[in-house]
Amino acid sequence: MVEHLLRYDQVDISYQGELAVKQVSFAVDPGEILGIVGESGSGKSTLIKAAMGLLSQEGLVTRGDIWYQRKNITDLPGKDRRRLNGPELGYIFQNAGSSFCPIRTVGVQLYETMREHSRISKKKFQDRALELLAKLGFSDGMRILKSYPFELSGGMQQRVGIAAAMLLNPQVLLADEPTSALDPISTSKIEDLAVELKKDYTIVMVTHNMQQAARISDKTAFFLLGEVIEFGETEQIFSMPKNKKTEDYITGRFG
């Protein structure tokens, strides 16, 4: 059996006893970008939050398994799960700005993120942070570290959020609609960045934007009403979908 980097095996997720995600199975291999595509409210974000243990108190994986390498994430106790989050699995929020504390500088918050998992000196942290910020297109990284989140534009906040997810050099980046609140220019920059990062990271990107998935994803999972309707190579999904519902969604005839 091929050992995938991240694999969902017949996963059900419920909120307050009501099934929201049903029998979802797919796998992601190292160095791939997987696009999870579907309408808003279809359960896409729930999928990746489950891998991070970020479901609300009412959310629960009630069936199936989520595997990271050889670890069954769904069976891990909270302490072991937290060891994975950051060093192995990085999470990019839909609106990174809202995930930062508004009254503390970006640098302080990023440093605290690293300190949770590593006794790193401020000098080594600063070197790592400046390296990442430069990779993300910031020519003035020190100014960014000294800034408060509200002093940055939405696109800048989003790139800082990506830096936060990358700080501990995880294997997998799980991105929840990372461009949905951005203007077209900022969106294009984030898409280009995702393709560039594929050299070093495996990326799972939740998006309702079919064109975005077609542009950057190696594989695509089409998600509808809590179920994976079709999963496969992106080129095949968009040029010759096997499922009529996928075809209807792609061509705009859905519903």
Side-chain angles (χ1 to χ4, degrees), residues 13 18 38 42 53 56 63-64 66 98 100 103 109 122 155 187 208 223 225 227 243 251:
I13 302 173
E18 185 173 340
S42 61
S56 64
R63 179 177 179 271
I66 304 173
S98 65
F100 288 111
I103 59 172
Q109 294 181 69
K122 286 191 176 181
T187 294
H208 64 274
F223 210 63
L225 299 176
E227 298 182 75
N243 191 292
T251 58

Side-chain angles (χ1 to χ4, degrees), residues 194-250:
V195 175
E196 175 70 19
L197 291 177
K198 191 175 75 165
K199 294 184 297 187
D200 302 306
Y201 301 89
T202 299
I203 301 172
V204 179
M205 180 180 286
V206 165
T207 179
H208 64 274
N209 187 325
M210 293 180 294
Q211 289 76 27
Q212 183 173 80
R215 284 192 294 267
I216 70 172
S217 300
D218 300 296
K219 291 180 181 174
T220 296
F222 171 49
F223 210 63
L224 176 65
L225 299 176
E227 298 182 75
V228 172
I229 302 300
E230 191 164 350
F231 169 72
E233 299 290 332
T234 295
E235 185 177 354
Q236 177 264 309
I237 292 282
F238 282 89
S239 62
M240 294 182 293
K242 297 176 182 177
N243 191 292
K244 179 67 162 54
K245 291 178 181 178
T246 309
E247 182 181 355
D248 288 346
Y249 188 81
I250 291 171

Side-chain angles (χ1 to χ4, degrees), residues 59-131:
L60 186 65
V61 176
T62 53
R63 179 177 179 271
D65 302 298
I66 304 173
W67 295 87
Y68 169 70
Q69 296 183 331
R70 297 182 180 179
K71 297 184 179 80
N72 186 350
I73 297 176
T74 47
D75 284 345
L76 291 178
K79 184 170 69 171
D80 292 336
R81 175 77 71 89
R82 286 190 291 274
R83 288 196 186 111
L84 283 183
N85 292 353
E88 302 291 338
L89 304 174
Y91 193 85
I92 301 169
F93 290 87
Q94 180 173 354
N95 184 350
S98 65
S99 68
F100 288 111
C101 174
I103 59 172
R104 304 168 83 189
T105 66
V106 166
V108 166
Q109 294 181 69
L110 294 184
Y111 182 53
E112 287 179 350
T113 296
M114 290 203 79
R115 288 281 293 178
E116 283 186 20
H117 296 275
S118 171
R119 296 188 63 81
I120 189 170
S121 69
K122 286 191 176 181
K123 175 65 168 63
K124 286 187 176 179
F125 154 74
Q126 190 177 98
D127 290 345
R128 171 66 174 158
L130 291 175
E131 175 192 6

